[in-house]
Amino acid sequence: SPVGRGPEVPFRCEAYSISAIARGKELRLTLSALDPAAGPPPQDLVFRFGMSGSFRLCPAAELPRHAHLRFLTRESPPRALCFVDPRRFGSWRLGDAWQAERGPCVISEYQAFRENVLKNLDDRAFDKPICEALLNQKYFNGIGNYLRAEILYRLKIPPFEKARTVLEALKEQEMRKKDPSLTLSKKVKLKQENPDLLELCHTVPKEVITAELLDPEHTDNYAAFKDWLQCYLVPGMSSLRDRNGRTIWFQVGAGEPPNHSPKQGDTSLPRKTPRKKSPQVKADPEAPRPKVTPRASKQRRRAAVKPLKSEVKEEEKEEEADGPRKGRARGRKKVAAAPALPEVPVSVRRSRRTSARRGRGETGSP
């Protein structure tokens, strides 16, 4: 698409096939020539879908809006396999490499996923509430917003419980399941009747996939998906925004965030309490007031308005660290005007000036 943000795909072939494999929230397509001897070498593309990305197969003459990448068939009339992304949160990149910061897939690499979580519980990521840790793709690659709500609801786990506290308990459960005195049938029964958090991270997404509950082309399937939901967007459930700005749905009474009781219409976690203002420096009432010339007062006013060079440099560093801003901030200048320095009362400035003069006179300075 002319307005697509993804890179150009350097693959030209008259007849080729497309195969795909998924890992967590990523999908890798491989374009392969039907005649390997005459065609180009295979080309890999790795997609991320964001919140609205999907693939659709439709007539080439009736392309949907926001079809940012199209693969045309040779039939008559031709059809197009399109990567559609209305919100443009999705992307694709060339090559076969998965994102390095993503962990093993919760579905296709379950054992590696489980081990990756349990052996890294000392990571700072698990200092956060369990509802926030479940969205960390370094450890829970494939778990999204609605899945975390459904998993925590089924296990009756308070969403704001510390993640490490919840997950460390799984180590003890694993030791009990490995008891040599238990037969294989008893172990299987115990696992089925008492699934833990990591097991549900594997089985709950599989329910959606095997039942084909999410299909944007068919509203009937979407209705089935809504019927499948037990917590997410369900009337009567509570919701709050976590500290990452994502909305977590949970059962009323399943545990609230510290020092916060959600009320009707209240959808955000409490902000940090503002710092107390430092007390103003009081001037010495007995200090004599020197005579101030108009020129000196103008210089002081300019100094109060004009920011220091060191402060401007600090703001430049912060802008570079934050990267490009979104929305309205795109049109702004790179370095915003530094806020004016806090104005010191005239009486304080005078007393400081007088004290400095006295000090110079005592030491014999000119």
Side-chain angles (χ1 to χ4, degrees):
S1 166
V3 297
R5 296 179 180 175
E8 189 72 23
V9 181
F11 183 83
R12 298 292 179 269
C13 188
E14 287 297 322
Y16 61 96
S17 64
I18 301 178
S19 58
I21 183 173
R23 183 178 185 264
K25 288 191 173 185
E26 293 184 292
L27 181 75
R28 183 168 65 208
L29 297 188
T30 301
L31 315 179
S32 305
L34 294 184
D35 185 0
Q43 174 68 60
D44 293 302
L45 306 171
V46 177
F47 287 80
R48 292 175 60 190
F49 293 89
M51 296 181 68
S52 63
S54 64
F55 277 98
R56 298 185 193 176
L57 185 62
C58 58
E62 301 175 9
L63 293 176
R65 294 185 62 189
H66 309 290
H68 299 303
L69 192 61
R70 306 125 182 205
F71 303 94
L72 301 177
T73 67
R74 298 188 67 185
E75 60 191 337
S76 182
R79 290 184 295 171
L81 177 65
C82 305
F83 176 64
V84 183
D85 186 17
R87 302 182 71 176
R88 299 192 183 189
F89 290 164
S91 63
W92 69 86
R93 62 185 183 276
L94 305 179
D96 61 351
W98 305 110
Q99 272 191 311
E101 63 268 24
R102 289 182 178 269
C105 177
V106 296
I107 296 178
S108 60
E109 302 168 297
Y110 171 65
Q111 287 301 329
F113 149 70
R114 188 180 184 92
E115 292 172 6
N116 186 44
V117 172
L118 294 180
K119 75 179 181 182
N120 290 296
L121 290 181
D122 57 344
D123 193 317
R124 293 177 59 184
F126 299 106
D127 292 338
K128 297 182 178 181
I130 185 62
C131 66
E132 295 181 15
L134 282 174
L135 295 186
N136 188 332
Q137 300 301 295
K138 180 179 178 181
Y139 296 107
F140 297 90
N141 186 12
I143 300 300
N145 205 17
Y146 81 89
L147 286 172
R148 68 167 175 175
E150 297 299 314
I151 292 168
L152 295 175
Y153 172 78
R154 293 191 186 190
L155 295 174
K156 308 302 178 189
I157 294 176
F160 305 102
E161 186 77 23
K162 190 175 181 179
R164 187 176 293 106
T165 303
V166 174
L167 294 168
E168 281 183 341
L170 303 188
K171 291 185 176 181
E172 299 178 5
Q173 294 181 21
E174 281 201 336
M175 295 300 295
R176 289 198 297 268
K177 291 178 182 178
K178 291 180 180 179
D179 187 351
S181 62
L182 294 176
T183 62
L184 179 60
S185 60
K186 287 184 178 180
K187 288 181 180 179
V188 172
K189 185 178 180 181
L190 182 64
K191 185 175 180 180
Q192 291 176 344
E193 293 178 351
N194 302 284
D196 61 37
L197 177 69
L198 299 181
E199 287 169 350
L200 284 192
C201 287
H202 172 67
T203 58
V204 173
K206 285 185 69 175
E207 290 180 15
V208 181
I209 294 171
T210 55
E212 297 182 353
L213 295 176
L214 282 176
D215 187 352
E217 298 287 339
H218 301 89
T219 56
D220 293 342
N221 280 1
Y222 182 68
F225 172 69
K226 290 179 67 177
D227 292 339
W228 173 85
L229 293 172
Q230 301 178 34
C231 179
Y232 184 76
L233 297 177
V234 174
M237 295 295 168
S238 237
S239 66
L240 286 172
R241 284 189 182 180
D242 62 23
R243 289 178 175 82
N244 295 321
R246 304 295 300 278
T247 301
I248 172 66
W249 291 78
F250 58 99
Q251 188 175 21
V252 178
E256 318 297 354
N259 303 323
H260 184 70
S261 297
K263 301 176 182 178
Q264 189 67 25
D266 185 6
T267 58
S268 61
L269 288 176
R271 296 181 178 179
K272 294 181 179 179
T273 55
R275 294 180 179 177
K276 294 183 179 180
K277 294 182 179 179
S278 57
Q280 293 281 346
V281 179
K282 294 184 178 180
D284 184 2
E286 298 181 359
R289 298 184 179 182
K291 196 172 183 179
V292 182
T293 63
R295 183 177 180 182
S297 62
K298 284 183 180 180
Q299 289 176 348
R300 282 200 297 270
R301 284 199 300 269
R302 289 173 184 171
V305 175
K306 187 176 180 180
L308 298 176
K309 290 183 179 180
S310 60
E311 292 181 351
V312 174
K313 289 182 180 180
E314 287 297 324
E315 288 205 358
E316 288 179 353
K317 291 179 182 178
E318 290 178 5
E319 289 287 342
E320 292 174 2
D322 292 341
R325 301 284 184 178
K326 294 183 179 180
R328 297 179 181 177
R330 288 178 182 167
R332 295 176 185 166
K333 294 182 180 179
K334 183 177 180 182
V335 181
L341 298 176
E343 187 176 355
V344 181
V346 177
S347 58
V348 177
R349 293 201 298 267
R350 289 172 177 169
S351 64
R352 290 176 180 172
R353 188 180 181 89
T354 304
S355 300
R357 286 178 177 174
R358 288 178 176 174
R360 287 197 298 270
E362 290 172 2
T363 57
S365 301

